Amino acid sequence: MLALLMAAGSASADPLPQWHSLIESGYAKLASETGNLEAKANSYCTAPSQDARSQLSAQWRTAFEAWQAVRFVDFGPVKQNNLAWQFQFWPDPKNLVARKAGQLLKSPATDTSIAQRVSDGGVAVQGFPMVEYLLFDDRLNESDQALPSEPACLLLQAVSSHLHTNSMNLHRQWQTFQPHYLSQDAYRSTSMKAAMTALEILVERRLAEPMGLRGNNKRSIYPSDAWRSGHSLAAVRASVQGLHDYFMPGLALWMDEVDEPALAQRIEDQLSRVLARFDELPNAMAPLLQDESFYQLQGLHVSLSQLQQLLNDEAATTLGVIRGFNSSDGD
């Protein structure tokens, strides 16, 4: 599988063209899926029905997973204008998404003014969590402000449009970024550290904290992402799949350069073992936080920790990549 992915991405033995090409394909998918999300939101609000609502909810999950797959890229165009935060404001310990939504839904707005208010409203308003709130929040859905009310539909359409515009801009800017990325050898380490940081956040924040292994030592679904939609573990799986599809082939080329293909294969094998674990898990994390099924999360956490050790310790040491400070440190 690894050999096929490497061949599909680029014929070059240099990891940078490989990474640029594969990340571009990930951004292209994000742009396409957010376009589908915007279209489904408009269709539902034009002619609301249960079937249209189901299609819209399913498309939110698909588009959100496309974002999760490229979420590890924390450099380049995605750093401009806080784009990563605009896609996903997380974590949200003060429930800002719900508070901001409440303010917007209570204030009369037109389709043009709501678009401006979303654009000016900050990252808690602009991304996937806001759409998730409108679609899946239990308390909202029991109120007279629930979809397909006019205020909720205006907000849904404005945020979906904002997501699609940002996705298209990100894809275009990544293409423009190509000459600079390919000409700077330092982006090898930058790309490697991005994957290391993403894996660390995944293990320590997205899994360990809800499991009560970090922070206040209490099990809680609220520190996870996508808890409202019951899609927390599916989001984690999409991030691991993204590392497999968009990062691993370039890493394998670099490991070949330093004559360490065996270590690359060990990382690939561990990635495959982690992905196989998800086949036995639900999309939601909350049910597994119960005592009788908690061992399944523990097994997943151990497997991901082993992957983290291979990548962040063995591979980084072999390649001379020194991990620096990241935003997950010191919390």
Side-chain angles (χ1 to χ4, degrees), residues 93-106:
K94 297 182 180 179
N95 205 13
L96 279 178
V97 171
R99 289 166 54 189
K100 291 280 188 178
Q103 294 169 6
L104 289 169
L105 292 174
K106 288 177 181 175

Side-chain angles (χ1 to χ4, degrees), residues 18-20 22-24 26-27 66-76 78-79 84 88 174 181 190-202 206 238-250 311:
Q18 181 79 273
W19 276 327
H20 187 276
L22 293 175
I23 292 169
E24 182 186 344
Y27 282 158
W67 162 244
Q68 297 306 310
V70 292
R71 185 175 167 181
F72 73 93
V73 182
D74 63 357
F75 59 89
V78 78
K79 294 285 287 185
Q88 186 181 2
W174 182 256
Y181 181 77
T190 299
S191 302
M192 176 74 174
K193 285 189 280 190
M196 293 163 64
T197 299
L199 187 55
E200 182 175 323
I201 291 173
L202 199 160
R206 298 172 65 186
S239 292
V240 177
Q241 189 72 56
L243 288 173
H244 179 270
D245 294 350
Y246 302 143
F247 170 73
M248 189 62 213
L311 184 66

Side-chain angles (χ1 to χ4, degrees), residues 63-139:
F64 186 63
E65 288 185 15
W67 162 244
Q68 297 306 310
V70 292
R71 185 175 167 181
F72 73 93
V73 182
D74 63 357
F75 59 89
V78 78
K79 294 285 287 185
Q80 297 176 11
N81 299 320
N82 289 321
L83 267 184
W85 284 94
Q86 289 191 51
F87 281 114
Q88 186 181 2
F89 176 68
W90 178 89
D92 183 15
K94 297 182 180 179
N95 205 13
L96 279 178
V97 171
R99 289 166 54 189
K100 291 280 188 178
Q103 294 169 6
L104 289 169
L105 292 174
K106 288 177 181 175
S107 302
T110 64
D111 52 354
T112 52
S113 69
I114 191 66
Q116 190 62 49
R117 291 171 70 184
V118 167
S119 180
D120 297 340
V123 294
V125 173
Q126 297 166 335
F128 285 106
M130 179 58 75
V131 179
E132 181 194 27
Y133 174 82
L134 294 171
L135 287 171
F136 299 103
D137 187 79
D138 290 339
R139 181 173 296 181

Side-chain angles (χ1 to χ4, degrees), residues 139-162:
R139 181 173 296 181
L140 175 66
N141 282 326
E142 292 173 356
S143 75
D144 57 7
Q145 294 178 325
L147 289 168
S149 72
E150 183 177 3
C153 263
L154 286 174
L155 182 56
L156 169 72
Q157 291 171 292
V159 178
S160 299
S161 177
H162 189 85

